[in-house]
Amino acid sequence: MADIFDVIADGTRRDILQLLRERGASGEKGTSVSQIVTALGVSQPTVSKHLKVLREASLVSVREDGQHRYYSLSPEPLDVVDDWLFPFFALDDDGLAAATGLTESAAHAADVVGRAAASAKHAVASVFNKLPGR
């Protein structure tokens, strides 16, 4: 599997992820390739190529309905990015969590608990997605 940072480094893939996130938040149960092509103004072969990369990175799921395929965002793999970025936003130059008002030890404890929760969430989701009928 490609490194998640390599996958999201491409602007078109980020645009696709953003579109799927927005459509999912508005209650859509999936977005077709033609809807992505229209919304982004990118060719169908280009969209299909990027969707393949996103599928291989488990960032999108696909639902088939006859000849149509509907894509949805699967944000769990982005937890790796979130975990990597968190320290940059949580601590100021002195190592204190200025934005949250936490001491360094409290910020560290919150970081450990947050990472454990994210890891557990990802593990449970992975197992759930492997169940028959999913």
Side-chain angles (χ1 to χ4, degrees):
M1 179 170 90
D3 180 73
I4 191 74
F5 292 97
D6 290 336
V7 173
I8 64 173
D10 184 274
T12 302
R13 288 193 284 267
R14 288 193 310 271
D15 291 342
I16 292 170
L17 292 172
Q18 180 68 23
L19 176 67
L20 296 178
R21 186 193 65 77
E22 290 169 357
R23 292 181 60 90
S26 70
E28 296 290 329
K29 299 292 183 200
T31 303
S32 69
V33 172
S34 63
Q35 290 171 315
I36 297 169
V37 166
T38 301
L40 299 181
V42 180
S43 72
Q44 184 274 325
T46 298
V47 168
S48 293
K49 176 186 82 167
H50 288 298
L51 285 169
K52 179 181 180 201
V53 173
L54 293 169
R55 270 194 327 271
E56 289 172 352
S58 300
L59 283 166
V60 297
S61 60
V62 62
R63 174 180 56 87
E64 295 185 23
D65 185 7
Q67 293 184 355
H68 300 283
R69 288 181 175 83
Y70 295 93
Y71 292 86
S72 299
L73 177 66
S74 299
E76 293 83 11
L78 293 172
D79 288 343
V80 171
V81 177
D82 188 44
D83 290 346
W84 187 83
L85 287 172
F86 178 78
F88 293 96
F89 294 107
L91 302 177
D92 64 15
D93 293 336
D94 297 323
L96 300 175
T100 61
L102 298 175
T103 65
E104 187 173 359
S105 62
H108 176 70
D111 179 47
V112 169
V113 169
R115 287 175 190 269
S119 178
K121 174 186 168 198
H122 179 68
V124 169
S126 294
V127 169
F128 182 72
N129 287 332
K130 292 177 184 176
L131 292 174
R134 292 269 318 147

